[in-house]
Amino acid sequence: MVEEKKVRVLELTVELHDAQKKIDESQCRFNVVEAGRRFGKTIYSLYWLLKRAAEPRTVHWLVA
C-alpha cells in the first residue's frame, strides 16, 4: 500500500508598501530594520519568514 502525501498550499496575500518592498528585494545576508511605530515590522517579519520557510532544506530564525 502506497501512502499519499498531503500537500497544503498557503497563499500570502500581504501587500507591502514601498519601504517594505525595498527590504524584501535586498540581497544582503543580514538585514537590520530600524523603523518606527506602525511601519508594519511584525506583519513583514511573518511574511518574510513564511516566504523563506517554503524553500526546501533551509533553516531560518526570527529573533524579536
Side-chain angles (χ1 to χ4, degrees):
M1 181 177 211
V2 177
E3 285 187 41
E4 291 184 33
K5 291 185 178 182
K6 294 183 180 181
V7 177
R8 290 188 177 184
V9 176
L10 176 66
E11 184 176 329
L12 296 175
T13 57
V14 176
E15 294 216 15
L16 304 177
H17 57 72
D18 292 339
Q20 290 171 329
K21 286 179 188 175
K22 185 175 180 181
I23 297 165
D24 197 50
E25 293 167 357
S26 172
Q27 296 297 315
C28 295
R29 182 174 177 197
F30 300 103
N31 288 315
V32 177
V33 177
E34 181 181 354
R37 295 175 60 221
R38 299 182 51 94
F39 178 83
K41 298 180 294 288
T42 302
I43 296 299
Y44 176 73
S45 63
L46 293 173
Y47 165 82
W48 183 92
L49 186 61
L50 289 172
K51 181 179 172 182
R52 280 146 183 91
E55 298 170 5
R57 292 182 288 282
T58 59
V59 177
H60 299 282
W61 289 59
L62 176 63
V63 179

